[in-house]
Amino acid sequence: MSVDKDMHVLIVDDYKTMLRIIKNLLGQLGFRNVDEATDGEMALKLMNGRKYGLVISDWNMEPMTGLGLLKSVRGKNDNVPFIMITAESKTENVITAKEAGVNNYIVKPFNADTLKQKISAVLGDF
Amino acid sequence: MSGNQSLDENGDEPSYQRGQVVDIINSVISRVQVGGDVSSDLLYKELRDLKDIIEEARSEITFANPDEIKNKHIPTATDELDAVVGATEEATGTIMDSCEVIQSQMEHVASEIAPVIGAEVTKIFEACSFQDITGQRITKVINTLNQIEVKIDSLLSVLGKKIPGLSGGSGEEGESESLLNGPQMPDKAITQVDIDKLLAEFD
């Protein structure tokens, strides 16, 4: 299985700096169709209007967290590949996210190689 | 200085210890309960000691000026920290603007050095995530300061009516409990490798 780089990717983070970094790194990996949301609720609205091939979301956001977004998405039986990114690396949080249906988990700060590796683990080879 | 004392306005240790208050109260209670030949002079002395301790405590609280801490020092500190977040965000934006300009010009760079420059620009981009990490850490500090402010507010609410010079507050609580606490200190965090192992256990 190889990654379809024409797919639409949704990135969710309340820090504009992180959105810009992730979008740039995704661009370097060949992804051109990248949408941005600054919290879970905004992400859900975007997901109602478009089919995404990958969601990459921060955890710590208000009013809806990344975990809330993940639970809402899975609650709709949407199995879109979902990668959680967070600066908080507690074992219980990883387990919570996994139990909620996350596909992979990235700890901040991360580099382009880690992002590529995690996307590849979820979507297939580049 | 012992662990249960604080310095007074002169930097000296207070003349009492916390346990003293309890001792005096217990002494008075036991004397009254026993009854009989209780010396009123002795009781008076005990109560006067208690009064002195209370007066000294009131004086210390007033000297600490919790009203000023709440209304001036904490707001100033949080404003300064907000400014740090804003300044680093702006600077990071400028750095990334420059990186994107370099990336857009890469097609004009000799093919043998383009990958090297491209890789270094990517590293700069990756490093810019410091702004997110420091921003979250600073937010944690601001939340802590807000909690201290709430505690001081509660203290003022309780003591404000009883101690001249102190005013009361609302005692409102803040901070969403649904959020994570932000980045751990390095010695408390688990690594990406640890997380990968943990996730693998689910497969």
Side-chain angles (χ1 to χ4, degrees):
Chain A
M1 186 175 70
S2 64
V3 176
D4 172 17
K5 292 177 182 174
D6 290 327
M7 70 168 58
H8 286 272
V9 179
L10 177 60
I11 55 176
V12 194
D13 200 307
D14 56 349
Y15 269 78
K16 290 176 185 171
T17 302
M18 280 311 298
L19 284 176
R20 199 166 163 186
I21 290 170
I22 297 168
K23 188 171 186 176
N24 189 283
L25 297 179
L26 288 173
Q28 291 184 49
L29 293 174
F31 294 98
R32 299 294 167 202
N33 301 312
V34 180
D35 291 340
E36 303 169 28
T38 52
D39 72 80
E41 287 183 357
M42 184 178 174
L44 280 178
K45 284 178 185 168
L46 289 173
M47 293 179 81
N48 284 335
R50 171 169 282 161
K51 180 77 176 169
Y52 288 97
L54 175 65
V55 176
I56 300 174
S57 176
D58 183 38
W59 184 314
N60 240 14
M61 299 176 293
E62 287 186 296
M64 181 187 277
T65 65
L67 183 65
L69 171 63
L70 173 63
K71 287 178 176 175
S72 292
V73 169
R74 294 296 183 247
K76 296 176 181 176
N77 291 320
D78 186 339
N79 292 319
V80 60
F82 197 112
I83 296 175
M84 189 78 82
I85 298 180
T86 177
E88 183 158 352
S89 52
K90 284 183 180 173
T91 301
E92 55 265 38
N93 295 332
V94 181
I95 294 171
T96 299
K98 187 65 186 175
E99 288 175 346
V102 81
N103 296 92
N104 224 310
Y105 198 100
I106 298 175
V107 181
K108 294 178 184 175
F110 58 94
N111 58 30
D113 286 340
T114 301
L115 183 64
K116 182 179 180 181
Q117 183 191 339
K118 297 304 171 189
I119 292 173
S120 184
V122 171
L123 298 178
D125 297 331
F126 276 83
Chain B
M1 189 174 72
S2 63
N4 60 357
Q5 283 181 294
S6 58
L7 298 179
D8 66 12
E9 64 263 42
N10 300 315
D12 300 326
E13 289 182 3
S15 57
Y16 64 89
Q17 295 192 354
R18 287 178 196 172
Q20 252 183 289
V21 176
V22 178
D23 290 344
I24 292 171
I25 292 171
N26 284 338
S27 171
V28 171
I29 290 172
S30 63
R31 286 176 200 284
V32 170
Q33 279 177 337
V34 168
D37 193 17
V38 180
S39 159
S40 59
D41 286 347
L42 199 58
L43 271 181
Y44 176 75
K45 183 191 173 304
E46 300 268 30
L47 291 172
R48 194 178 56 198
D49 287 347
L50 195 57
K51 174 183 167 291
D52 289 345
I53 289 171
I54 291 168
E55 287 296 333
E56 192 169 341
R58 287 173 60 168
S59 166
E60 280 181 26
I61 292 168
T62 306
F63 177 74
N65 206 346
D67 215 15
E68 190 178 31
I69 293 171
K70 174 183 172 289
N71 292 322
K72 183 181 170 188
H73 297 307
I74 290 180
T76 300
T78 53
D79 286 350
E80 293 287 343
L81 291 172
D82 280 338
V84 170
V85 173
T88 55
E89 186 173 2
E90 190 177 337
T92 306
T94 304
I95 292 168
M96 291 193 294
D97 286 344
S98 297
C99 285
E100 285 175 353
V101 170
I102 294 170
Q103 286 176 327
S104 70
Q105 298 300 314
M106 289 299 284
E107 59 189 88
H108 306 301
V109 176
S111 59
E112 62 269 25
I113 61 167
V116 178
I117 295 173
E120 294 305 313
V121 170
T122 298
K123 285 183 188 174
I124 295 171
F125 251 99
E126 292 167 356
C128 284
S129 65
F130 86 91
Q131 197 270 324
D132 173 76
I133 304 290
T134 54
Q136 288 195 43
R137 288 200 189 283
I138 289 172
T139 300
K140 283 176 75 173
V141 175
I142 291 172
N143 288 338
T144 302
L145 286 171
N146 288 335
Q147 291 300 310
I148 292 170
E149 188 177 4
V150 168
K151 300 292 181 195
I152 291 173
D153 218 21
S154 300
L155 182 70
L156 290 172
S157 294
V158 173
L159 299 177
K161 295 168 190 166
K162 299 174 183 172
I163 302 179
L166 293 181
S167 58
S170 63
E172 285 180 15
E173 292 290 340
E175 192 176 12
S176 167
E177 291 181 358
S178 63
L179 294 177
L180 300 182
N181 293 317
Q184 274 84 58
M185 297 307 288
D187 62 329
K188 292 180 181 170
I190 59 172
T191 65
Q192 181 71 55
V193 173
D194 294 329
I195 288 170
D196 291 345
K197 285 180 185 171
L198 189 61
L199 290 173
E201 290 173 11
F202 283 85
D203 297 333

